[in-house]
Structure formats: C-alpha cells, structure tokens
Amino acid sequence: METRRNFIKKSAMGVAGLAVGSTLNMSAKSYANIMGANDRIRVGVLGFSNRFKDSLGKSFLKYAKEMNFELYTICDIWSRRCEEGQAWYNKQTGETIRTARNTDELWTQKPDAVIISTADFQHALLTAEAVKAGCHVYVEKPFAETMDDANYALKAAKEANKVIQVGSQRRSGVNYQAAYDYIRSGKFGKIIAVEMTWNVNQPGRWRLPQLTKEIREQDTDWKRFLMNRPYEPWDPRKYLEYRLFWPYSSGIPGQWMAHQIDTVHWFSGLQYPRSAVANGGIYMWNDGRTNYDTVTAVLDYGDSKEKVPGNGFQVIYSSRQNNSSGGTKEWYFSNGGKLDLDTNVVSSEGGLTERYAAEMGMKPFLLEPFELPQIKVETGSNTGSDPLTNAHMKNWMDCVRANNLKTNAPVEAGYSHSIADIMVTAALRTGQRAIFDETTKQVMAGGKIFKY
C-alpha cells in the first residue's frame, strides 16, 4: 500500500514538472510540433500598473523569447503610464514598443492576447471586451466585484472560447498542487474546517499620496475609467487608490481573500459558499477610505443547499492592515490532523487520538506527518515577481500557444471566487447574512439583491 510519504513525493515530482512546463509539460523544441508554432504571439498590456511592471511583465519576458511571444503594445488611459511603460520596456529589452490611449485604439492594433492589470472593478468588463475582440486573456484577480459584471464576463468568455487565465497564482504552485492531490486522494479525510488570515501593518498599503498630487484629469480619461460605475466628479484618490474605495474595489475581500478562498473551492470541488456573515471596520487608518482596514468573515460550505448533519465545513477568514502579527496562514483541518500551507507541513495535530476514539468504540485517526514541496508566497510587499507568478504566467503562455482552454485558473475559478468575495462584501455592507441565488445568479443579503 502506498504510504503518504511516497504519495506526496510522486505528487511533488509531477507538479514540479507542471510548474515549469505547464499542464502540457512542453519543452521549447516541442512548440515546433504545434500548428502555428512559428507565428509570433503579440501581447498587449491593458493597464501599466505596478503589479505589471514589477511582477507580471518580468514573468512574461522571462519566457517570451524562447516561446516566440512579443510584448506588442501598452494601453493605458493615463498618458504618463504609457510613457513609463515605454521607458520600462526599453530598459528591459533595449527595444521600443507602441502604445494605445484606450481599448478602441488597442483593438485596431490587433493583439493576439492581453494581460489585464487595471483597477479591480474593470477586470471582468475588460475581459469580456478583450475576448470579443478575439484576444486570449491573462486577467488579474479579483475577477469581478459585482455579480452583474461577473455574469456578463462569464457569458462572453464561454461564447468566445479564448484561453483565459485568472491571476490566482496559487494554482500554479507546486505546494498547492501537491496539497490538492493529497486532499482529493482521500488520504486527508473530510475537510471539517479552514482558518485563513492575511495580516499586515502598512499605513501605505494601497496608498499613492505623491502620485495623487501629480496626476491631472486632462492627462487621463475619467469617464472611461468609471466604466459602468455611477458617475461622480474627478477624484484622483479614487483613480489611483481605488482599492480603498467601494464600488471601485471591495478592498480586503477582493484583494486578499480572493487568493485564499480560491484554494477552498479548488481543494473541495465546491463552487461557492452556502452562506456568509461578516463584520469589520476602519479601526486605525482613518484616511478617508471607505473600505475596511479590518475584516472577519465566516463562510459555510457544503455540497447541499441546506445544512444537514455531517455535510459541509466552515471557513473562518480574518484580515487586518494595522498589525502584522500572525502574518498569513491557510490551515485545513480534518478529523485526523492539519494541513498548513504556510509551513507546508501536514501533521496529526488535533487528530482523533486512541484515548478519545476508544471511548466511543471508534478507531483513532492520525495523519502521517510529512512536508509538502517548499515555496513561499510573498505577501509583505505590494509587488514582486515570485515563483508562483512565473509558473502561472508560463502556464498561460503554454496554453495560448497550444490553444488549450484548460489553464490552471480558468474563468470559472475567477467566477467562483467572485461569488465568495461579493457575498462577504454584501454581508459587510448590509449587516445581513448573504447567500448566492443559483436561479438569478445574484448575491442576496436580507432578501434583496446586493448592488453597489
């Protein structure tokens, strides 16, 4: 019988190849065997953000030459960002790059694919626009901040049949893939609880005070920025520090919980929570923001719509921006122990011991301890290329090259994490228990559809 140690060793070896060569495990030479392999794939950048400059762009360029990809154009409605993008590209490659002032100009340049790293609320709408223009898409998370946007983008994606990778890069991490294999094998036992945190102490998180002084409305396109959000007069903070303001971002749920709750959906095979309750507030950083600096949410999951004994599990999620003690953690519990995706260790901690099992005529259940492949998720800084982003970008590029729609984080994954994020946002903003109505495809709180 295969031991857990042998199982995880095989799993780690398999996913190590996956991270380096994607689900196709292709070498550079094997591209010649694929139809269209000699065609250069032209990729546009939609939103020259710090996230793109410091992470996504570097990951893309790491593989572009060998895979015959080209960073083809940079599109940003702020003229300064276009200029900065040109300077960045020249520094990275010694070459020049074209720009576009908006998506109308971008589509006339006919890129084959785009990387979307714009404001949170724009991701889903721009994904829909991109696939309708015939482009494959790498889109940052959160996928959507409202169900209307999520539903619209999912429909467009399904109709277009383009390769879409949502920026949930944990799905390309060897440790997470090994954890997925282990849990889905049944050896872990039934998931009975999950605890997740994401704590920082950074007054400047999501703040850009100097840039807000420098940006001018005439150098950008405020109405185009707002897209389908209610019109309001020009506000440089909401343009640049959008993560602090609803309805341009949900803040903590969309930025941080989106990453972590995605692993719950992936590992469990469940698409969204049965319900969510949440509370929070602005307890420290009273700087004009409307999104909370502290959030705690409790989400109920199960494979039936109603709670019944023995079915489902609870996720406790907490995050604060004013004290970093505890850092980030992702703890999965079964009756036999704990899977810790911070230390990447499986242990029998908390498992059913012989003493207490015998009292009820049961057998003890204690997981055999072992280590998952080691990889560290960077959460202490705003940006930074890391092994997960490299592997995730490579997976997308492999899939675009092969026209393989089964990326590590397909559009359905983004849709699912959006439901959970929106449920928590609804609970936070209404004070009511939130659910997802499968019939209307809307999040409901207090019996009403949640809108901004």
Side-chain angles (χ1 to χ4, degrees):
M1 182 175 177
E2 184 179 40
T3 66
R4 287 181 174 85
R5 188 174 301 278
N6 288 336
F7 168 83
I8 207 66
K9 184 177 180 181
K10 291 179 181 179
S11 179
M13 290 175 65
V15 295
L18 187 84
V20 173
S22 88
T23 54
L24 302 174
N25 198 24
M26 297 188 299
S27 67
K29 292 181 179 179
S30 67
Y31 295 131
N33 298 322
I34 300 171
M35 185 177 295
N38 294 325
D39 297 330
R40 176 166 293 185
I41 294 175
R42 303 181 300 183
V43 178
V45 179
L46 243 174
F48 186 73
S49 63
N50 287 338
R51 170 65 176 162
F52 179 83
K53 177 181 67 174
D54 296 330
S55 185
L56 298 174
K58 291 181 178 179
S59 293
F60 176 84
L61 291 176
K62 180 179 178 70
Y63 306 109
K65 186 175 181 180
E66 71 173 88
M67 296 177 66
N68 201 16
F69 276 67
E70 174 189 4
L71 205 57
Y72 179 65
T73 184
I74 292 174
C75 176
D76 200 296
I77 57 176
W78 187 16
S79 58
R80 173 169 170 167
R81 292 297 194 201
C82 286
E83 294 168 2
E84 290 174 348
Q86 287 178 311
W88 174 87
Y89 185 73
N90 181 259
K91 181 179 180 180
Q92 299 295 318
T93 68
E95 301 174 358
T96 59
I97 190 170
R98 58 181 55 76
T99 61
R101 292 177 298 176
N102 51 52
T103 53
D104 292 341
E105 283 190 7
L106 177 64
W107 308 137
T108 65
Q109 296 174 356
K110 299 189 182 305
D112 302 303
V114 292
I115 298 171
I116 300 174
S117 59
T118 58
D120 294 353
F121 73 98
Q122 298 171 344
H123 293 167
L125 298 174
L126 289 174
T127 296
E129 190 175 337
V131 296
K132 288 181 178 182
C135 290
H136 304 293
V137 175
Y138 184 110
V139 56
E140 272 292 86
K141 58 88 214 133
F143 181 64
E145 294 280 24
T146 68
M147 286 311 305
D148 284 346
D149 293 351
N151 292 329
Y152 175 73
L154 180 66
K155 182 176 184 292
K158 292 292 190 182
E159 291 173 350
N161 285 319
K162 291 296 179 180
V163 177
I164 297 175
Q165 179 89 296
V166 179
S168 300
Q169 62 263 29
R170 279 168 167 72
R171 291 191 179 225
S172 292
V174 293
N175 56 334
Y176 287 92
Q177 290 166 343
Y180 168 83
D181 288 341
Y182 177 59
I183 289 174
R184 299 295 283 179
S185 75
K187 292 179 171 64
F188 181 66
K190 177 184 179 293
I191 297 172
I192 54 104
V194 183
E195 293 182 17
M196 295 175 158
T197 62
W198 193 307
N199 300 324
V200 301
N201 193 351
Q202 298 171 331
R205 193 76 180 220
W206 305 336
R207 292 292 310 274
L208 295 168
Q210 186 57 40
L211 277 184
T212 59
K213 296 176 183 177
E214 297 173 1
I215 191 171
R216 302 183 305 169
E217 183 178 3
Q218 60 264 38
D219 294 332
T220 186
D221 191 332
W222 176 240
K223 289 184 178 180
R224 191 178 282 266
F225 172 85
L226 292 174
M227 300 191 82
N228 66 348
R229 292 320 190 243
Y231 177 79
E232 61 176 296
W234 164 252
D235 188 332
R237 288 199 68 193
K238 291 175 180 175
Y239 186 100
L240 290 167
E241 299 177 346
Y242 54 84
R243 292 189 179 100
L244 302 176
F245 300 98
W246 177 257
Y248 310 105
S249 171
S250 59
I252 287 172
Q255 275 298 300
W256 294 340
M257 197 186 85
H259 275 307
Q260 295 180 304
I261 209 69
D262 176 66
T263 66
V264 174
H265 300 156
W266 183 27
F267 293 171
S268 69
L270 299 172
Q271 294 179 305
Y272 54 86
R274 288 188 294 209
S275 67
V277 293
N279 211 327
I282 302 170
Y283 297 119
M284 183 71 187
W285 307 129
N286 187 21
D287 53 8
R289 70 182 66 197
T290 60
N291 286 335
Y292 297 158
D293 63 18
T294 305
V295 168
T296 299
V298 180
L299 303 98
D300 173 65
Y301 279 86
D303 55 14
S304 65
K305 291 184 179 180
E306 301 297 329
K307 283 188 179 181
V308 294
N311 178 271
F313 58 92
Q314 185 181 82
V315 177
I316 300 175
Y317 183 86
S318 63
S319 177
R320 60 177 178 265
Q321 295 180 296
N322 40 46
N323 186 290
S324 60
S325 179
T328 60
K329 71 177 182 184
E330 293 169 58
W331 293 350
Y332 283 78
F333 300 93
S334 75
N335 187 242
K338 173 182 174 182
L339 189 158
D340 186 335
L341 280 160
D342 179 43
T343 60
N344 293 311
V345 169
V346 172
S347 72
S348 62
E349 181 181 346
L352 182 60
T353 62
E354 184 174 1
R355 173 188 172 185
Y356 293 107
E359 290 177 355
M360 301 303 296
M362 301 170 64
K363 293 183 179 180
F365 179 28
L366 296 172
L367 300 178
E368 180 181 332
F370 63 86
E371 290 190 7
L372 299 170
Q374 291 295 320
I375 187 168
K376 193 69 176 176
V377 180
E378 179 62 42
T379 58
S381 59
N382 286 314
T383 56
S385 185
D386 59 72
L388 295 185
T389 302
N390 288 342
H392 208 51
M393 182 63 69
K394 178 67 159 54
N395 172 253
W396 177 65
M397 295 167 77
D398 279 337
C399 290
V400 169
R401 174 58 71 190
N403 199 31
N404 175 14
L405 302 184
K406 295 182 179 180
T407 58
N408 285 349
V411 66
E412 293 86 356
Y415 186 82
S416 287
H417 81 226
S418 296
I419 295 174
D421 296 345
I422 295 164
M423 287 173 66
V424 169
T425 302
L428 285 169
R429 299 201 165 272
T430 66
Q432 302 291 318
R433 175 176 173 269
I435 62 170
F436 178 67
D437 188 322
E438 181 64 38
T439 302
T440 62
K441 307 296 183 187
Q442 293 288 343
V443 166
M444 311 292 292
K448 298 180 180 178
I449 295 176
F450 175 69
K451 301 280 188 179
Y452 50 76

